[in-house]
Amino acid sequence: DAAPREVSLSDYEEDDSVPGCRLRSDNYSKDERPQYNTFSVKESFTQSLQEQLGYRNLTEHQFAVASFLIGSLDDDGYLRRSLDSVVDDLSFRANIETDEAEVLEMLKIIQEFEPAGVGARDLRECLLLQIRNFKKTPEVINAVKILTNHFAEFTNKHYQKIMNRMGLSEQELKAAMSKILKLNPSPGGQIDDSYNDQ
């Protein structure tokens, strides 16, 4: 039956057919003062990025492109599609004409948002986006070089090769690795759509 029908929540109160669900809250104190009640606002990952986008000085067209890009990110905060496929989707699904250069420009803006690492196209880019915000200590500089020039060796745990190629001591490598291992491989998981209380 496709026709909508009138439904009242009171029909469901204290109804045993609604498993594990209570529609009334009993968490009020005896001395209830409504003017002091607080409530929690919840914000999803996508909403958080859209809000940050609103603070940027963009044209309506740029905003539409960036907004579409935000909607194209996966749950981990990555853009796992090629820029040309995003350009095609913008054209066919949103009727927005653009090119890869503009999409990349908008992606770079999104990559400046919090949480750090969002908008990355792969793990390496995600880690580099995060570590760029660190103070440039020797171990951070070495960590950036490892991620930039020796990522395959890093992911395959060929630490001796990294030490030889970069001329690092074991202690220097460990210090750089400790910086890398503190990074978050899935930034979208920080504010996922299970929501973040504010």
Side-chain angles (χ1 to χ4, degrees), residues 55-184:
Y55 290 109
R56 294 303 175 115
N57 188 18
L58 301 174
T59 66
E60 195 174 322
H61 176 78
Q62 289 173 322
F63 186 88
V65 171
S67 196
F68 190 90
L69 269 172
I70 288 171
S72 300
L73 300 179
D74 67 12
D75 291 341
D76 290 331
Y78 286 79
L79 180 68
R80 301 212 190 255
R81 303 173 57 229
S82 66
L83 295 182
D84 65 322
S85 70
V86 173
V87 170
D88 290 343
D89 270 1
L90 276 159
S91 177
F92 294 118
R93 291 173 51 199
N95 200 23
I96 297 170
E97 291 300 320
T98 186
D99 56 26
E100 282 188 45
E102 184 178 39
V103 170
L104 182 60
E105 183 187 353
M106 294 304 102
L107 182 61
K108 295 289 183 194
I109 289 172
I110 293 166
Q111 289 176 344
E112 295 172 6
F113 292 172
E114 289 295 325
V118 74
R121 289 162 285 180
D122 55 38
L123 177 61
R124 181 172 160 271
E125 186 175 33
C126 177
L127 299 177
L128 283 167
L129 286 170
Q130 292 174 62
I131 207 164
R132 72 180 178 188
N133 298 323
F134 288 22
K135 187 178 175 190
K136 301 292 181 265
T137 60
E139 56 268 23
V140 168
I141 291 166
N142 285 334
V144 169
K145 287 178 183 173
I146 291 168
L147 293 172
T148 305
N149 305 319
H150 307 287
F151 191 69
E153 292 89 343
F154 165 71
T155 55
N156 291 312
K157 300 182 180 181
H158 295 162
Y159 302 130
Q160 192 60 51
K161 283 185 184 176
I162 296 171
M163 286 164 57
N164 293 342
R165 290 178 183 169
M166 290 182 62
L168 299 177
S169 68
E170 190 173 332
Q171 195 165 353
E172 287 172 323
L173 178 72
K174 281 183 180 175
M177 291 294 293
S178 75
K179 294 294 181 188
I180 295 171
L181 295 174
K182 286 179 184 163
L183 303 174
N184 183 0

